């Protein structure tokens, strides 16, 4: 079965139909730049362009980089325009798409459900935590394959700083941190998350996961296994489509 997935990110809005049996894009993804300011109106126009590009006429799953209540309502907007707060994104996007059924979920949660089903978390039980390292830090927490949504672990406080301000890849770039220095910050952050949840596995996602060999070996004293995400840039699109199909992927075989 194919379902459409869209990933709303800080720089691009990208989407494609997804082959849900294989967890792969069924066509090359299409991307438009995220408008600035990224208001609900402007972003929904971008989503429309992406979906229309494929003449898609079915359910659409959409990721959002903030807390999403009930598959619809935006409850936080740390790295996007604050005018999203309180918006029923599901209705807004569905209307924009001529009434197509839409479901919206947090971007890290989407990446997590995709990784648990088709990627680095496949067949893993116990507590698994996916962290996406990018402009912010996103989190998806799974217990026995079931997602606990909207965990927002990027906003934990670490040494008086918000963790994502201190340990995201944006922080690395903004402060021109070496891999060693950044890995040290990341280690402190992971140790804190580990103290709270004692996961068996950390899956490290976000664009930087491509360079995992540069920083994962530098991270010491973490008991959990640490592996890079496998679906890379497409995890959000795949997870969004899975959610829209109702196959949440939170239980194996679901
Ligand atoms: C947001 C999260 C999001 C993460 C990654 C954070 O600032 O609060 O909801 O998952 O960034 O985009």
């Amino acid at each position: 079965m194919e379902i459409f997935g869209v990933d709303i990110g800080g720089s691009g809005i990208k989407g494609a139909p997804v082959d849900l049996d294989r967890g792969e894009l069924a066509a090359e993804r299409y991307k438009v730049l995220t408008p600035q300011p990224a208001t609900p109106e402007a972003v929904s126009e971008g989503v429309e362009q992406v979906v229309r590009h494929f003449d898609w006429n079915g359910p659409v799953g959409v990721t959002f980089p903030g807390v999403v209540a009930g598959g619809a309502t935006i409850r936080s907007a740390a790295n996007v325009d604050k005018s999203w707060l309180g918006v029923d994104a599901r209705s807004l996007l569905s209307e924009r798409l001529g009434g197509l059924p839409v479901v919206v979920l947090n971007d890290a949660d989407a990446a997590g459900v995709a990784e648990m089903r088709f990627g680095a978390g496949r067949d893993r039980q116990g507590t698994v935590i996916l962290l996406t390292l990018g402009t912010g830090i996103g989190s998806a927490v799974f217990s026995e394959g079931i997602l606990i949504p909207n965990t927002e672990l990027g906003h934990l406080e670490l040494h008086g700083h918000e963790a994502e301000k201190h340990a995201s890849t944006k922080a690395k770039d903004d402060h021109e941190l070496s891999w060693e220095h950044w890995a040290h910050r990341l280690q402190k952050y992971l140790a804190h998350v580990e103290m709270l949840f004692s996961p068996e596995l950390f899956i490290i996602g976000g664009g930087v996961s491509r360079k995992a060999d540069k920083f994962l070996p530098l991270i010491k004293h973490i008991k959990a296994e640490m592996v890079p995400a496998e679906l890379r840039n497409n995890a959000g699109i795949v997870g969004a489509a899975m959610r829209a199909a109702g196959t949440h992927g939170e239980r194996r075989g679901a």
Side-chain angles (χ1 to χ4, degrees):
M1 187 180 29
E2 286 181 19
I3 295 284
F4 205 89
V6 181
D7 195 14
I8 299 177
S11 61
I13 300 172
K14 27 196 207 261
V18 175
D19 175 339
L20 288 181
D21 299 318
R22 290 143 47 102
E24 288 170 7
L25 305 194
E28 201 180 318
R29 65 186 198 176
Y30 182 70
K31 174 176 167 175
V32 298
L33 293 181
T34 305
Q36 298 301 338
T39 58
E41 261 318 299
V43 169
S44 44
E45 193 182 330
V47 172
E48 183 185 359
Q49 281 172 29
V50 171
V51 176
R52 295 253 187 261
H53 178 81
F54 295 88
D55 282 330
W56 181 257
N57 189 20
V60 179
V62 182
T63 76
F64 185 83
V67 171
V68 184
T73 307
I74 306 307
R75 294 278 184 233
S76 82
N79 294 309
V80 283
D81 200 78
K82 301 290 176 265
S83 57
W84 276 100
L85 290 172
V87 167
D88 177 346
R90 176 167 54 195
S91 302
L92 178 72
L93 291 169
S94 177
E95 232 165 79
R96 189 96 210 188
L97 296 173
L100 296 184
V102 172
V103 67
V104 186
L105 77 164
N106 173 262
D107 54 0
D109 285 347
V113 298
E115 287 290 336
M116 291 301 282
R117 178 75 173 268
F118 296 110
R122 217 171 24 230
D123 298 332
R124 298 297 298 245
Q125 291 299 304
T127 304
V128 176
I129 300 185
L130 170 127
L131 296 168
T132 61
L133 307 174
T135 310
I137 295 181
S139 60
V141 177
F142 294 83
S143 171
E144 307 303 340
I146 312 256
L147 173 70
I148 301 163
N150 293 311
T151 42
E152 295 290 323
L153 302 183
H155 299 285
L156 284 172
E157 188 180 311
L158 194 66
H159 304 305
H161 299 275
E162 204 176 13
E164 75 172 17
K165 298 252 156 45
H166 195 61
S168 60
T169 50
K170 182 172 187 299
K172 178 180 185 300
D173 295 344
D174 287 355
H175 304 295
E176 296 177 10
L177 305 179
S178 64
W179 286 108
E180 286 73 16
H181 191 161
W182 183 61
H184 182 71
R185 290 186 175 193
L186 211 48
Q187 174 170 320
K188 296 256 159 91
Y189 174 59
L190 290 170
H192 191 66
V193 176
E194 179 158 72
M195 185 268 291
L196 293 171
F197 293 94
S198 300
E200 266 96 285
L201 175 68
F202 279 118
I203 303 174
I204 307 297
V208 77
S209 62
R210 262 179 287 132
K211 300 185 186 152
D213 57 322
K214 294 228 188 302
F215 65 95
L216 280 189
L218 303 173
I219 296 175
K220 314 279 183 214
H221 311 303
I222 300 294
K223 293 180 209 76
E225 196 184 332
M226 289 179 291
V227 295
E230 287 175 13
L231 280 79
R232 304 282 149 86
N233 275 336
N234 293 333
I237 297 176
V238 173
M242 288 168 70
R243 176 56 63 86
T247 56
H248 299 191
E250 289 146 25
R251 274 179 191 284
R252 278 181 302 141

